[in-house]
Amino acid sequence: MKKIGIFYGSSTGTCSDLAGKIAKRLNAETKDVADCKAADLLDYEVLLLGSSTWGVGDLQSDWETLLPELAKQNLNGKFVGLFGCGDSACYSDTFCNALALIKDGLADTGCTFIGSYAPQGYSYDETAAEQDGELIGLCVDDSNEADQTDDRIDTWIAALQPHIQ
């Protein structure tokens, strides 16, 4: 298996908990982006990047410093998977938009995005995290759909598998 690093931004602990669940399944390390510099991410072949979504589709605040720094790096040859938390009931039109903000921020780095899958069983109205009919990464709503989190993690990890072996 490739060397996997799981990096997350979490204000209330929900995204941190999600990162921990993913790490347990993949036997990987987790790191809070509040404590990282872009160079810390370069040691990994696979970067799993997570953020909660705030307000009306905003990136978690700790990413606001790291993302521009990471966007200046050459990530050619690296695989990037995205995961995040949102509220599909109260923010049904911006659910997990932070994933799209990270993807957009890293679009010119040479990385390969992995882990997209069909959005079956979700209840949001609209999200920037859905592109070309697929979610660009793992989207979790632990407030309203916690009973589906484990299955969603498994679906996402299955989508990652060809690139993390």
Side-chain angles (χ1 to χ4, degrees), residues 22-37:
I22 295 165
K24 193 176 228 183
R25 285 174 166 87
L26 296 175
N27 193 29
E29 298 178 22
T30 65
K31 297 189 183 207
D32 189 330
V33 298
D35 302 323
C36 294
K37 297 198 179 307

Side-chain angles (χ1 to χ4, degrees), residues 78-100:
K78 300 214 183 278
F79 293 102
V80 174
L82 305 170
F83 67 95
C85 305
D87 185 329
S88 64
C90 292
Y91 300 97
S92 186
D93 58 343
T94 59
F95 175 62
C96 288
N97 274 11
L99 278 68

Side-chain angles (χ1 to χ4, degrees), residues 23-149:
K24 193 176 228 183
R25 285 174 166 87
L26 296 175
N27 193 29
E29 298 178 22
T30 65
K31 297 189 183 207
D32 189 330
V33 298
D35 302 323
C36 294
K37 297 198 179 307
D40 298 333
L41 284 73
L42 301 179
D43 291 336
Y44 299 89
E45 298 167 278
V46 177
L47 303 172
L48 302 180
L49 308 178
S51 177
S52 47
T53 298
W54 288 92
V56 289
D58 299 326
L59 194 59
Q60 192 273 341
S61 61
D62 295 324
W63 276 106
E64 292 174 6
T65 301
L66 185 63
L67 187 58
E69 185 181 327
L70 188 58
K72 295 175 187 173
Q73 305 300 310
N74 178 359
L75 301 181
N76 192 37
K78 300 214 183 278
F79 293 102
V80 174
L82 305 170
F83 67 95
C85 305
D87 185 329
S88 64
C90 292
Y91 300 97
S92 186
D93 58 343
T94 59
F95 175 62
C96 288
N97 274 11
L99 278 68
L101 295 173
I102 294 172
K103 183 177 182 185
D104 291 347
L106 300 180
D108 296 328
T109 63
C111 68
T112 300
F113 292 99
I114 60 172
S116 62
Y117 63 98
Q120 297 173 340
Y122 283 86
S123 61
Y124 60 84
D125 290 325
E126 185 179 333
T127 176
E130 184 179 326
Q131 298 174 3
D132 299 321
E134 293 192 319
L135 291 172
I136 59 173
L138 172 63
C139 295
V140 170
D141 180 349
D142 262 354
S143 297
N144 304 294
E145 301 172 347
D147 60 322
Q148 298 181 58
T149 297

